[in-house]
Amino acid sequence: GYLYNGDLVYYIISDRLVWPQYQAGLVMKHIIPSAKIDNSKEQRIIEIFTKASKKLGIYNGPVYSQMKVKDDSIYIIEITPRWDGCHLWRPIYYLTGINFLKTTFMHLSNNLYKMCNIKNKYQSRYELCFLYDKPFNRADYTKFDIPNDVIYSFRYYKEGDLIRPVNNIYEKIGYYIREIK
């Protein structure tokens, strides 16, 4: 979400899919906007998100939250005054045409704020898919089955570089974004 003087001026909900074999909740991909949240849950999520942000004293700029929705219950896992760590600003840019990183820097560093009215009902969905490998392996991007319709991709390592341990389980070595049709 994005707050301006305490008002939620933009939000988007994504589906966060994790690797089922890793109990650490390692993200496999995000689908944006969510394909699983109905209007009723969306309104409850926004209410919880807004109240939690205000309770924490967050009134301006980006707010990232992970929430778990299980049946009719919604749980906050994390909420923090920053963009996410998974590059979601990029598929949001493809979805909206707004570079929220640039918006954030202009707003918070120069107190310049400009936000267009954005509808939260979109015609397209995007997925941000991560490429993973075991730590201490050599980066080998040829082993991934990457679709032909990728609109953006990024590699954290050069081909053949040693994959450094970060979580010591399964390490992100890159990602790609594509529109889901």
Side-chain angles (χ1 to χ4, degrees), residues 90-91 94 126-128 150-152 175-179:
R90 202 174 287 276
Y94 290 118
Y126 291 85
E127 65 178 3
L128 171 69
V150 167
I151 56 176
Y152 184 83
Y175 68 91
Y176 64 85
I177 299 169
R178 69 185 197 104
E179 184 175 3

Side-chain angles (χ1 to χ4, degrees), residues 5-176:
N5 291 336
D7 294 325
L8 183 62
V9 294
Y10 180 77
Y11 71 90
I12 193 157
I13 299 169
S14 71
D15 297 326
R16 184 178 194 266
L17 289 78
V18 298
W19 293 97
Q21 67 268 40
Y22 299 110
Q23 295 301 311
L26 297 175
V27 63
M28 181 172 55
K29 68 176 158 180
H30 288 277
I31 297 175
I32 191 167
S34 173
K36 297 179 180 181
I37 300 298
D38 62 28
N39 286 340
S40 172
K41 283 187 179 128
E42 180 177 349
Q43 292 310 308
R44 288 182 44 227
I45 288 168
I46 295 311
E47 182 181 328
I48 292 167
F49 178 88
T50 304
K51 282 183 181 178
S53 296
K54 287 181 181 178
K55 189 78 169 171
L56 292 169
I58 306 169
Y59 295 99
N60 282 292
V63 180
Y64 170 71
S65 180
Q66 283 185 32
M67 295 182 179
K68 184 172 187 166
V69 178
K70 184 171 181 170
D71 302 320
D72 285 333
S73 298
I74 300 169
Y75 307 93
I76 294 176
I77 296 171
E78 172 187 358
I79 187 165
T80 184
R82 64 173 174 85
W83 284 107
D84 69 292
C86 288
H87 313 281
L88 281 174
W89 70 272
R90 202 174 287 276
I92 292 171
Y93 171 75
Y94 290 118
L95 194 65
T96 67
I98 295 177
N99 183 330
F100 279 96
L101 282 184
K102 188 175 183 179
T103 298
T104 300
F105 285 118
M106 295 301 290
H107 176 201
L108 299 179
S109 66
N110 299 321
N111 203 25
L112 298 174
Y113 173 77
K114 181 181 177 187
M115 181 71 70
C116 301
N117 290 327
I118 304 169
K119 295 180 182 175
N120 276 331
K121 302 299 176 204
Y122 304 103
Q123 302 302 313
S124 299
R125 278 200 167 74
Y126 291 85
E127 65 178 3
L128 171 69
C129 300
F130 291 100
L131 307 174
Y132 279 85
D133 204 348
K134 298 280 185 186
F136 304 109
N137 282 352
R138 297 278 174 190
D140 178 7
Y141 296 97
T142 63
K143 66 182 178 182
F144 296 102
D145 186 20
I146 299 174
N148 292 330
D149 58 350
V150 167
I151 56 176
Y152 184 83
S153 65
F154 185 80
R155 295 177 176 186
Y156 299 142
Y157 296 91
K158 293 179 185 172
E159 190 76 30
D161 281 356
L162 186 67
I163 299 169
R164 295 179 306 276
V166 175
N167 61 36
N168 266 335
I169 300 169
Y170 208 38
E171 308 297 346
K172 288 181 193 171
I173 67 167
Y175 68 91
Y176 64 85

